[in-house]
Amino acid sequence: MSNNHIEVWNNCLKVIKDNIAEQSFATWFEPIRPVSLTDGTLLVEVPSSFFVEFLEAHFIDHLRAAIKRFIGPTGKLAYKIRMDSSDPSYTVTLPSSNRNFPKNPIGRPAPETLSQSPINPFAIPGLKKPQIESQLKENYTFDNFVEGDCNRLARSAGLKVAQEPGKTAFNPLLIYSGTGLGKTHLCHAIGLEAKRLHPDLTVLYVQAEQLYNQYATAAKNNNRPDFIRFYQMIDVLIIDDIQFLAGKTGTQEAFFHIFNYLHQNNKQLVITSDKFPTELQNMETRLLSRFKWGLTADLQMPDIETRTFIIKEKLYLNGIVLPDEIIQYLANNVRTNVRELEGVMISLMAQSSLNKKAITIEMTQQIIDRFVRNTIKEVSVEYIINIVCDYFKIPPEQLSLKTRKHQVVQARQIAMFLSKRYSNASLASIGQQCGKKDHATVHHACKTISNRLETDKQFRVMFSDIEKKVTLQS
Ligand code: ADP
Ligand code: MG
């Protein structure tokens, strides 16, 4: 009698198949597995709690009729959620009552909003059972991610999360840094390591932009619930560049549900951002507050020693040898971010092999000048003032005048902002040179300019013209 549950379920399926659309059957019934039949209760395994909701909403009559026919009038159906084996089974007595249902954060979807086939945007074609392509880059490993003071916390938290996904306090793990400092690399490293250690887990790396595009398509086709359901099946979900979702309220809302569901079910979330969470504008506060549940760790620009290690690591990976002198020169002179450091190295190697020339300091310098716009060695405040005043066609002395003339105030604020960004001068010294102001005024000016850069497109265009002059001419 041990296979009785299979026989009973197969009989049920035959009847149901005859009565519903082929596509619906394939989508909602084929993934179901019978588990046992005890005391008139047929236990079946389903991929998610959403499945239970959907089956109950759309096929309850068919299920009820089939169970009644093959088990008897007192027959019951119970569901077990497959994705998380620690989940308890949910017994649903037929006729069903919603009270016993697992919580579904997205609630019961309106029937017309559900498509007949679930979205699996990362399906591996040719395989019957939907499998998820993790989108992980094999060469972005922990081994290749050089450790330094600049990344120690984020790196070790990432490693911990990969070892015990969903089981540490680092959930979500939020990694933030400026561009080119290793967020994406670390994401892939976490994903690869999690997969290596836990081959059964479903790991997915996705850029927030992809998430947004998929959501937009789902919304257009009226199948948001499928979109959400797909992401709720993931065990380790890694979302890169979450700042992309700023202002995208629909996707944020959907992500909120995904987040809650995964978090409640002890699934691991890893999120990166190019801003500190509180600085993410146009992001729902309830989403931001969720990010604080876990750990926020930043990545800084590596110090010279770590930069040297990174260069050596990349050279080693590419099988290339550079004289120590050049390595030191690079580490000393590219101080913007690791991506630019890499860019210079690649150009250097390309140039040298194309021109069949040995790499020299001179050549390195030229390439740095060409490729790393922001690597400015010594920019003085005076130099910046001259460029800004020249741009606005006002004599530099005017910056010291006590005037409320917009043009002058604006020039002074831009000069202060650029000086803070590109000179080594202290706020006090910048203030002194830009019209004998104190450091608080400089601070205020920098804030004003930041705000305008975020909100005023025309201003942004003008500003970047001036900034280019500062960075290119130096
Ligand atoms: P982000 O996503 O923060 O913009 P990336 O992860 O794309 O930055 O990193 C840019 C490049 O710098 C990548 O090629 C990455 O491998 C490299 N990189 C950054 N930090 C490190 C590090 N600590 N060790 C080795 N490579 C690094
Ligand atoms: Mg990135």
Side-chain angles (χ1 to χ4, degrees):
M1 286 295 277
S2 63
N3 281 338
N4 205 10
H5 58 284
I6 300 178
E7 200 183 315
V8 167
W9 181 241
N10 282 341
N11 285 333
C12 291
L13 285 183
K14 263 185 224 146
V15 175
I16 293 169
K17 193 173 185 175
D18 285 343
N19 288 294
I20 67 172
E22 204 176 306
Q23 183 64 56
S24 301
F25 183 82
T27 306
W28 299 104
F29 287 90
E30 278 181 6
I32 300 175
R33 299 281 168 267
V35 178
S36 64
L37 177 60
T38 353
D39 300 333
T41 298
L42 177 67
L43 180 67
V44 294
E45 198 178 63
V46 293
S48 69
S49 59
F50 181 85
F51 241 79
V52 181
E53 286 263 341
F54 193 89
L55 289 168
E56 284 281 297
H58 297 270
F59 304 111
I60 188 68
D61 291 341
H62 296 96
L63 285 165
R64 190 182 293 141
I67 295 288
K68 192 173 164 192
R69 181 163 158 195
F70 295 106
I71 304 179
T74 55
K76 290 177 188 169
L77 182 65
Y79 302 95
K80 183 172 183 284
I81 314 293
R82 185 181 309 151
M83 290 307 286
D84 186 349
S85 52
S86 64
D87 252 18
S89 303
Y90 298 96
T91 306
V92 182
T93 314
L94 291 174
S96 91
S97 118
N98 273 339
R99 254 175 297 138
N100 292 334
F101 273 73
K103 264 218 178 86
N104 178 348
I106 61 171
R108 176 162 298 206
E112 67 277 10
T113 61
L114 284 150
S115 74
Q116 295 301 313
S117 63
I119 298 171
N120 178 355
F122 305 102
I124 300 173
L127 286 177
K128 194 156 181 274
K129 184 167 166 272
Q131 288 219 353
I132 290 165
E133 159 61 45
S134 293
Q135 304 205 101
L136 293 167
K137 288 191 188 151
E138 294 296 326
N139 52 342
Y140 278 169
T141 59
F142 273 110
D143 278 351
N144 299 342
F145 193 74
V146 175
E147 185 173 351
D149 287 342
C150 55
N151 61 29
R152 205 173 313 279
L153 176 64
R155 191 181 188 281
S156 61
L159 199 53
K160 190 93 187 130
V161 155
Q163 286 160 351
E164 296 178 69
K167 298 211 172 80
T168 69
F170 311 148
N171 201 12
L173 173 61
L174 194 131
I175 303 161
Y176 87 100
S177 81
T179 182
L181 291 177
K183 296 184 292 298
T184 298
H185 186 138
L186 196 50
C187 277
H188 287 281
I190 294 170
L192 290 170
E193 186 68 359
K195 248 184 110 160
R196 190 181 71 81
L197 296 172
H198 311 275
D200 298 342
L201 294 188
T202 309
V203 179
L204 178 64
Y205 166 89
V206 61
Q207 284 157 356
E209 187 173 0
Q210 276 180 297
L211 197 73
Y212 167 72
N213 289 332
Q214 285 162 4
Y215 175 81
T217 310
K220 204 171 87 201
N221 299 332
N222 266 339
N223 52 17
R224 286 185 191 84
D226 271 357
F227 167 84
I228 292 174
R229 184 167 71 80
F230 170 79
Y231 279 96
Q232 288 176 340
M233 297 188 326
I234 311 299
D235 297 305
V236 180
L237 179 61
I238 305 167
I239 312 256
D240 202 1
D241 290 320
I242 195 87
Q243 75 277 356
F244 187 85
L245 297 189
K248 315 257 188 328
T249 44
T251 318
Q252 281 180 36
E253 165 88 18
F255 181 58
F256 181 73
H257 291 306
I258 294 166
F259 184 105
N260 283 347
Y261 182 90
L262 294 180
H263 197 273
Q264 272 166 22
N265 288 283
N266 295 326
K267 310 294 184 184
Q268 183 67 46
L269 286 132
V270 178
I271 299 167
T272 77
S273 169
D274 73 353
K275 292 196 181 66
F276 192 72
T278 49
E279 284 169 14
L280 280 168
Q281 302 213 333
N282 297 320
M283 204 68 140
E284 262 203 82
T285 10
R286 55 181 193 156
L287 199 50
L288 291 179
S289 77
R290 292 296 189 274
F291 295 164
K292 288 186 207 144
W293 285 359
L295 175 76
T296 302
D298 67 345
L299 299 170
Q300 297 286 341
M301 179 60 184
D303 56 24
I304 176 116
E305 197 190 359
T306 314
R307 291 206 289 275
T308 312
F309 278 124
I310 292 177
I311 297 171
K312 288 185 173 163
E313 172 75 25
K314 302 279 173 192
L315 291 173
Y316 173 77
L317 287 174
N318 288 292
I320 286 156
V321 182
L322 275 189
D324 253 1
E325 179 189 45
I326 304 282
I327 295 176
Q328 276 317 312
Y329 190 85
L330 280 171
N332 261 315
N333 289 283
V334 185
R335 281 173 283 175
T336 45
N337 64 56
V338 184
R339 185 175 298 129
E340 294 204 327
L341 191 59
E342 259 185 359
V344 172
M345 271 160 42
I346 291 168
S347 311
L348 205 56
M349 291 174 307
Q351 286 255 332
S352 115
S353 57
L354 285 176
N355 304 337
K356 300 206 169 40
K357 273 191 199 155
I359 296 172
T360 60
I361 293 271
E362 227 181 359
M363 185 172 166
T364 312
Q365 176 61 56
Q366 276 170 11
I367 288 177
I368 292 178
D369 285 350
R370 264 221 310 280
F371 288 86
V372 188
R373 278 202 303 152
N374 295 334
T375 311
I376 296 163
K377 267 142 275 133
E378 226 23 84
V379 182
S380 65
V381 177
E382 190 189 352
Y383 174 80
I384 291 172
I385 291 175
N386 284 333
I387 286 181
V388 175
C389 289
D390 186 54
Y391 184 92
F392 289 110
K393 310 239 172 318
I394 52 178
E397 310 81 69
Q398 283 216 359
L399 292 196
S400 315
L401 294 182
K402 264 208 157 63
T403 170
R404 288 187 179 275
K405 253 169 96 180
H406 174 68
Q407 191 85 319
V408 176
V409 174
Q410 177 171 271
R412 192 192 293 131
Q413 288 181 334
I414 293 176
M416 287 173 168
F417 183 90
L418 288 170
S419 299
K420 180 169 172 233
R421 184 174 276 185
Y422 294 109
S423 79
N424 290 328
S426 66
L427 292 191
S429 155
I430 294 172
Q432 190 56 32
Q433 297 181 68
C434 298
K436 302 202 170 47
K437 306 287 180 191
D438 62 9
H439 81 279
T441 311
V442 181
H443 187 68
H444 174 75
C446 293
K447 267 198 139 156
T448 308
I449 299 297
S450 297
N451 283 340
R452 283 193 72 187
L453 285 174
E454 285 202 356
T455 53
D456 184 342
K457 195 170 166 208
Q458 239 178 337
F459 181 78
R460 229 173 8 243
V461 173
M462 178 184 81
F463 176 86
S464 81
D465 271 357
I466 306 172
E467 188 179 36
K468 255 185 227 143
K469 288 180 201 293
V470 173
T471 54
L472 287 179
Q473 291 179 15
S474 63

